[in-house]
Amino acid sequence: MSSLHALGAGYRMRTLLFAVALVPLLGLGWLSGGQIRRGLEVRSQLLALQESADRLHGGVELEIRLLEEHGYLEGLRLATLMGFPLEMLAIVGGDDLETAASESAASADGLLADLEDPLLAETVAAARTAQMEGDFDTASRRYGEALAIARERVVDASADLVIRAGGIEDGSAIVAMARVVEASSSVQAQQSLMALAYFTELVGVEYIEDVDFPLVRAETAYEREMAELQHQLQLDGVPTEVTRAHARLLESFGVQDIDARVAEAVAAAAAGTRVQLDLDEQGEAILLIAQPYLSGQESLDYHEALTDTTLVELGALVDTAWNRERTTNIAITLGALGVVIATIGAVLLVNRMVVVPLTELAASAERLRQGDGDGELEPHGPLEVRAGAHALNEAMQHIHRAERQALALAAGRIDDPLLDEVPAGPLGASLHAAVERLRESLAERERFRRRLAHEATHDGLTGLPNRSASLAHLEHTIARARRSEATAAVLFVDLDGFKTVNDQHGHQAGDLLLQAVARRLVDQCRAGDHVARLGGDEFLVVAEPIEDPEAAMDLARRLAEAVRRPIDLERGTVSPSACVGVAVAGHAADPDTLIRDADLAVYQAKAEGPGAVALCTDEMRSRQVEEADLEAAIRAAIENEEFSLHYQSTIDAGTSLPNSVEALVRWARPGLGMVRPDDFIPFAERTDLIIEIDRWVIERGISQLAEWHDDPVLGDLSMALNVSGRHLVRGELYQTVRGALDRHGVAADRLTIEVTESALLEDLAAAAQSLDRLRADGVRIAIDDFGTGYTSLAHLRTLPVDILKIDRSFVANLDNADDLSLVKLIVETGHLLGARVTAEGVETDDQASILRRLGSDTLQGYRFARPLTAAELTAAVEQLTAASV
């Protein structure tokens, strides 16, 4: 019975809360829903209306400015046709007219930019160009086309405004204003055309070509447009200020003067005569002709005033509609605010009736949760709250038991018998189920932790220990070896050609190969040996104890032999091989040193060929120290500017004159003198040092080109710079070259980038991408040492190549028939691809003669010039040039 009573009380409370919240929401929705929706629609219409009004205003303003430009053009045109000197226009204020026309043109440019009409802008530009060139007929025709286009834009904007004005208050007045603007604009245009026709009548039609505006037709069109304007002004909705502006227009001297003159001319034409001019004095003739033009300008000003007045009234109507809508929105906002205030009052009432008792209940429950007394809660507050207190008292016993079980779980005692106790009742069963889930989660977390610990120290593909686990194992191995005075060995296993397997058979086949190799290594090692995968195609074996270095080498050979056996993959069979480097631990060894020594040995084995094994020796360590010293010396050389460039000329095969130079880096090492490039470039190629050297060479070479720019001898020579394949595939070459060219202001076509054929083959796609960007800027691309690699014709067709350089080894053996045939083939291939061919290493006249006969475009070698400093090169080239002259 008590449960039913509590349920009924809860239903009443929920009903009350729902009613209190629902009433203000319904009122707010009824009050504001429809009005807000309508307000948004009207605001959208007003924004569109304002946009159309702005376009109409801009179109009319542009039409006025073009009429002013056209009028000034016709003044110049008539003066030219009448044979008047242009200086005589000063009599009627020609300078002021020209200034006004320039101001109109500037204003028209701004309006054209706002309208974003390419056709209209192009037509106006053509008219102005023709005027500047003195082609007045073309300019007049172009201005007529521009005015016609502007007229269409005004009509379109007016029609758009009329359409958008529908459906809003004062829409009919806005439509009337739009019609007046359109009609006034038409009158402006027709009056200007009528004035032009009158000019034509004054000077005689026979003096003007392509006359399109006969006076009678122009007057008829003007009267028709004026009648239309009069009609629009008489419609409802046109403000008094607009009609007054029109009256002032009709009373202006300009309109009356043009009307009178045109009427006189039309009457004369009807009588078969023509208005006579006294042309004895040019000044008087110019005044007679210019007076209608000046009257037309005054009339145009009044027309502009009428249009501006109409547009102002139109804007006022739009603003009125906007303000009216804003007032409505304010009223809606105030109404909504009232609803909000009412809702706040309702919330305060609910707070007093419900929230306060619930808060007291929550405070009591919090005190109990913190252990402040174990007694029962005292029921307090509404019936629903008191029922909650009774339920909470019933649950406390279950909570205390759950707390004890939680403490057991927190301590990790997942086997504690306390966790098996099942409290009575549904709540107790639910709590026990939660405890069981936590118990299982803790067990799963422990299993997961162990799995993560295994994965953190093992390779996911092969299941072997990884590098971090190997370092830890090796450290313990070294410690044990020191205590027992035993010997341990580290074997570094590096697969040969693993990238080829991935490329030819796919990465899945590569994974299968690594797994098979891992199994073979484990099978060949002893039970206590440690086999690990360092990453990629590199494995590590720690053997302990090992009798002596020879025993370690025997193990290395067994491992290499085991790897060499064929392996069946999904796409075929491969016969892998691996090089093995061996390092034996000494008393002072540490993990990093041992792995480094084994790496040195495997590097030596790689140099001997696939499947080789090598033992780290003192000689290898000494060589590493020397290379470390060399690396430090090269870095210091870059920082201390110890490098220099020497330049070797390339000779045009036909003229024997130099047409380019190749920059060659030289190193004057302190204490050792000049170091041969072969003694440091190959080492730098194996590290990123070559990129630093390339950057220095590029910067210094392009700087030298800039210094030679004004030299009468060297200013026309281009320069070739050698870059490393490592630099090429890194993707930085374009930015390096482009930045140096921009800094020194050197044209890209004065630079050639030389890359060896073998460097291109390392990563053909990346190399082609970098070279394509340089070539697109104008830099020439040369393939150096061509013929020593294995570039196919298909590869050459995809590479950006301008120059092929025949390797000096072929040039040295031109007396050999095979080498001679090969050189001939290279020359023909280069020309077939559209490239020039340069022969390197030319040392004799016979070699030069043969190469010229074979078609080589340029020659390079000691026969013509040795590498020289910049100063020596300048003197040598000047001497050679003088001798050829």
Side-chain angles (χ1 to χ4, degrees):
M1 184 68 182
S2 60
S3 299
L4 292 175
H5 182 69
L7 182 61
Y11 177 77
R12 289 194 302 273
M13 189 172 187
R14 286 193 295 272
T15 303
L16 176 62
L17 291 173
F18 178 78
V20 171
L22 184 61
V23 169
L25 291 176
L26 291 176
L28 181 61
W30 175 82
L31 176 66
S32 61
Q35 184 61 34
I36 290 176
R37 209 163 39 247
R38 179 184 175 279
L40 292 175
E41 294 174 355
V42 172
R43 284 170 67 88
S44 177
Q45 289 179 343
L46 289 174
L47 288 173
L49 191 66
Q50 185 65 52
E51 179 183 353
S52 298
D54 291 341
R55 286 200 301 112
L56 178 60
H57 190 180
V60 171
E61 183 72 15
L62 177 61
E63 192 175 18
I64 292 172
R65 300 306 165 223
L66 292 178
L67 286 171
E68 290 176 346
E69 285 191 58
H70 194 190
Y72 178 71
L73 167 71
E74 292 303 326
L76 294 177
R77 182 186 186 196
L78 290 173
T80 303
L81 289 172
M82 294 294 295
F84 298 153
L86 296 183
E87 293 80 0
M88 302 235 5
L89 287 177
I91 298 175
V92 293
D95 293 338
D96 294 336
L97 296 180
E98 183 177 1
T99 300
S102 299
E103 293 174 353
S104 296
S107 178
D109 288 340
L111 294 168
L112 284 170
D114 293 338
L115 290 177
E116 297 181 353
D117 190 331
L119 176 60
L120 183 54
E122 180 182 353
T123 306
V124 172
R128 292 173 179 173
T129 301
Q131 177 178 340
M132 293 177 62
E133 295 174 351
D135 187 358
F136 294 134
D137 291 344
T138 300
S140 179
R141 183 170 62 255
R142 286 294 192 178
Y143 270 116
E145 294 172 359
L147 286 168
I149 297 172
R151 177 100 292 276
E152 291 179 4
R153 301 301 181 262
V154 170
V155 173
D156 292 342
S158 174
D160 194 27
L161 189 63
V162 169
I163 293 172
R164 292 180 173 178
I168 66 170
E169 192 172 348
D170 296 332
S172 60
I174 292 174
V175 170
M177 292 297 94
R179 296 301 189 194
V180 169
V181 172
E182 182 181 350
S184 175
S185 175
S186 298
V187 170
Q188 294 172 27
Q190 291 301 328
Q191 189 177 53
S192 295
L193 296 178
M194 185 174 67
L196 176 60
Y198 178 69
F199 292 160
T200 303
E201 179 67 21
L202 286 179
V203 301
V205 174
E206 61 272 21
Y207 295 104
I208 301 177
E209 298 177 2
D210 299 329
V211 175
D212 295 326
F213 310 104
L215 184 58
V216 176
R217 185 184 306 169
E219 182 199 39
T220 302
Y222 169 70
E223 291 176 353
R224 181 177 64 251
E225 297 299 337
M226 182 64 80
E228 176 63 20
L229 175 59
Q230 295 276 12
H231 172 70
Q232 295 295 338
L233 289 168
Q234 294 173 1
L235 297 178
D236 294 336
V238 178
T240 304
E241 185 59 32
V242 176
T243 58
R244 289 175 180 172
H246 180 253
R248 289 193 296 272
L249 168 66
L250 295 179
E251 295 170 0
S252 68
F253 170 78
V255 171
Q256 293 178 359
D257 182 68
I258 289 178
D259 288 347
R261 289 175 179 273
V262 170
E264 177 187 357
V266 170
T273 61
R274 169 171 290 171
V275 177
Q276 298 297 317
L277 294 178
D278 183 6
L279 303 180
D280 292 338
E281 294 292 337
Q282 287 188 345
E284 293 178 2
I286 290 176
L287 289 174
L288 286 172
I289 296 174
Q291 186 59 44
Y293 168 77
L294 296 175
S295 300
Q297 288 297 111
E298 178 183 315
S299 172
L300 192 61
D301 292 340
Y302 276 96
H303 274 296
E304 184 176 358
L306 169 61
T307 303
D308 289 342
T309 301
T310 307
L311 289 171
V312 168
E313 295 297 329
L314 176 60
L317 287 175
V318 175
D319 290 341
T320 300
W322 183 271
N323 292 332
R324 182 170 54 251
E325 191 59 32
R326 184 177 60 181
T327 302
T328 303
N329 289 337
I330 292 174
I332 293 174
T333 302
L334 293 176
L337 181 62
V339 174
V340 171
I341 293 174
T343 303
I344 292 174
V347 170
L348 292 176
L349 178 62
V350 172
N351 177 71
R352 182 176 179 182
M353 293 179 62
V354 179
V355 176
V356 171
L358 287 175
T359 302
E360 294 176 356
L361 177 62
S364 299
E366 179 64 19
R367 287 195 300 273
L368 288 175
R369 187 186 67 81
Q370 295 177 356
D372 186 9
D374 294 331
E376 293 184 353
L377 294 175
E378 180 182 355
H380 179 270
L383 180 61
E384 290 82 358
V385 177
R386 293 197 298 273
H390 288 300
L392 187 59
N393 285 331
E394 293 176 358
M396 285 306 299
Q397 295 178 359
H398 303 310
I399 293 174
H400 287 310
R401 181 181 288 105
E403 182 180 7
R404 293 194 299 273
Q405 292 175 336
L407 290 174
L409 290 173
R413 302 193 307 273
I414 59 177
D415 297 328
D416 194 323
L418 176 64
L419 301 177
D420 296 327
E421 295 182 6
V422 181
L427 178 59
S430 298
L431 289 173
H432 183 69
V435 169
E436 283 297 313
R437 286 195 293 272
L438 287 173
R439 189 179 190 179
E440 179 59 29
S441 295
L442 287 174
E444 177 62 27
R445 186 183 69 175
E446 179 62 20
R447 292 190 294 270
F448 182 66
R449 184 190 65 78
R450 293 174 182 172
R451 187 169 65 251
L452 282 181
H454 180 272
E455 292 176 355
T457 57
H458 287 73
D459 175 51
L461 178 64
T462 63
L464 296 177
N466 59 17
R467 184 182 187 88
S468 60
S470 298
L471 289 174
H473 177 84
L474 187 55
E475 188 170 356
H476 293 308
T477 298
I478 294 172
R480 285 194 299 270
R482 288 173 181 169
R483 288 193 301 270
S484 62
E485 296 185 354
T487 302
V490 173
L491 289 79
F492 197 115
V493 182
D494 191 351
L495 295 182
D496 301 318
F498 178 70
K499 182 178 182 298
T500 303
V501 175
N502 272 338
D503 293 341
Q504 294 180 355
H505 299 275
H507 289 281
Q508 184 176 1
D511 292 345
L512 293 175
L513 173 61
L514 292 174
Q515 291 170 343
V517 169
R519 288 192 298 270
R520 292 180 179 183
L521 295 178
V522 172
D523 292 342
Q524 289 297 319
C525 291
R526 300 167 301 181
D529 292 341
H530 176 86
V531 182
R533 182 187 177 204
L534 297 183
D537 59 350
E538 299 175 344
F539 295 86
L540 187 75
V541 175
V542 180
E544 66 158 329
I546 198 78
E547 291 80 5
D548 51 36
E550 186 57 35
M553 289 293 288
D554 289 340
L555 176 58
R557 283 187 280 269
R558 291 200 306 271
L559 295 179
E561 186 63 29
V563 171
R564 189 176 290 114
R565 295 196 303 270
I567 297 177
D568 293 329
L569 301 176
E570 294 180 354
R571 298 184 182 179
T573 301
V574 298
S575 296
S577 64
C579 290
V580 184
V582 181
V584 178
H587 292 293
D590 60 77
D592 289 333
T593 301
L594 274 177
I595 294 177
R596 183 201 63 194
D597 288 350
D599 189 32
L600 285 175
V602 83
Y603 184 81
Q604 177 64 34
K606 287 281 187 183
E608 296 175 5
V613 298
L615 176 67
C616 183
T617 63
D618 291 338
E619 181 183 354
M620 293 181 189
R621 298 186 185 96
S622 299
R623 187 166 61 247
Q624 185 190 34
V625 172
E626 292 175 358
E627 290 182 349
D629 292 342
L630 180 58
E631 179 179 356
I634 292 175
R635 294 189 186 279
I638 295 173
E639 295 177 0
N640 300 330
E641 291 289 333
E642 296 172 10
F643 288 119
S644 62
L645 288 183
H646 287 202
Y647 305 93
Q648 186 174 23
S649 301
T650 299
I651 305 301
D652 185 279
T655 64
S656 295
L657 293 177
N659 60 2
S660 66
V661 293
E662 180 180 1
L664 303 171
V665 66
R666 295 293 185 264
W667 181 18
R669 187 173 178 179
L672 297 178
M674 194 65 69
V675 181
R676 295 188 311 116
D678 291 344
D679 291 338
F680 69 92
I681 292 296
F683 170 75
E685 284 279 2
R686 299 197 298 269
T687 68
D688 285 342
L689 285 173
I690 192 63
I691 297 178
E692 297 296 326
I693 295 175
D694 279 357
R695 290 174 181 158
W696 184 90
V697 168
I698 291 169
E699 182 70 23
R700 187 66 193 92
I702 293 177
S703 172
Q704 184 63 62
L705 274 177
E707 293 178 15
W708 285 341
H709 181 269
D710 296 326
D711 189 284
V713 177
L714 299 173
D716 294 331
L717 294 184
S718 61
M719 180 182 294
L721 301 177
N722 294 278
V723 298
S724 164
R726 183 185 290 264
H727 198 174
L728 189 63
V729 299
R730 278 275 291 268
E732 304 173 0
L733 181 61
Y734 176 80
Q735 289 81 359
T736 302
V737 174
R738 185 69 264 174
L741 289 172
D742 292 340
R743 277 192 299 276
H744 297 290
V746 174
D749 59 3
R750 295 191 63 196
L751 185 66
T752 300
I753 294 297
E754 289 193 11
V755 185
T756 63
E757 184 181 10
S758 56
L760 289 174
L761 295 177
E762 290 181 5
D763 192 337
L764 196 62
Q769 184 177 8
S770 296
L771 296 178
D772 273 332
R773 295 187 65 190
L774 287 171
R775 196 166 186 242
D777 283 1
V779 177
R780 288 189 291 272
I781 306 301
I783 298 181
D784 199 7
D785 299 339
F786 187 76
T788 59
Y790 301 95
T791 307
S792 68
L793 184 58
H795 287 161
L796 283 176
R797 291 176 62 86
T798 63
L799 288 172
V801 179
D802 297 292
I803 301 170
L804 289 182
K805 300 191 73 173
I806 304 172
D807 186 66
R808 64 182 65 249
S809 61
F810 300 117
V811 174
N813 296 315
L814 286 177
D815 54 349
N816 182 288
D818 292 338
D819 284 351
L820 183 64
S821 299
L822 183 56
V823 169
K824 181 180 180 182
L825 178 60
I826 293 174
V827 172
E828 292 174 350
T829 301
H831 291 163
L832 180 64
L833 295 172
R836 293 176 61 82
V837 178
T838 299
E840 295 182 299
V842 181
E843 298 185 358
T844 67
D845 290 334
D846 290 341
Q847 291 173 345
S849 177
I850 294 172
L851 290 167
R852 286 189 177 99
R853 188 171 65 253
L854 292 178
S856 180
D857 300 294
T858 53
L859 306 174
Q860 182 181 11
Y862 285 177
R863 165 61 184 84
F864 304 104
R866 292 179 176 271
L868 302 173
T869 64
E872 292 171 342
L873 177 65
T874 301
V877 171
E878 289 177 350
Q879 181 179 0
L880 183 61
T881 304
S884 65
V885 173

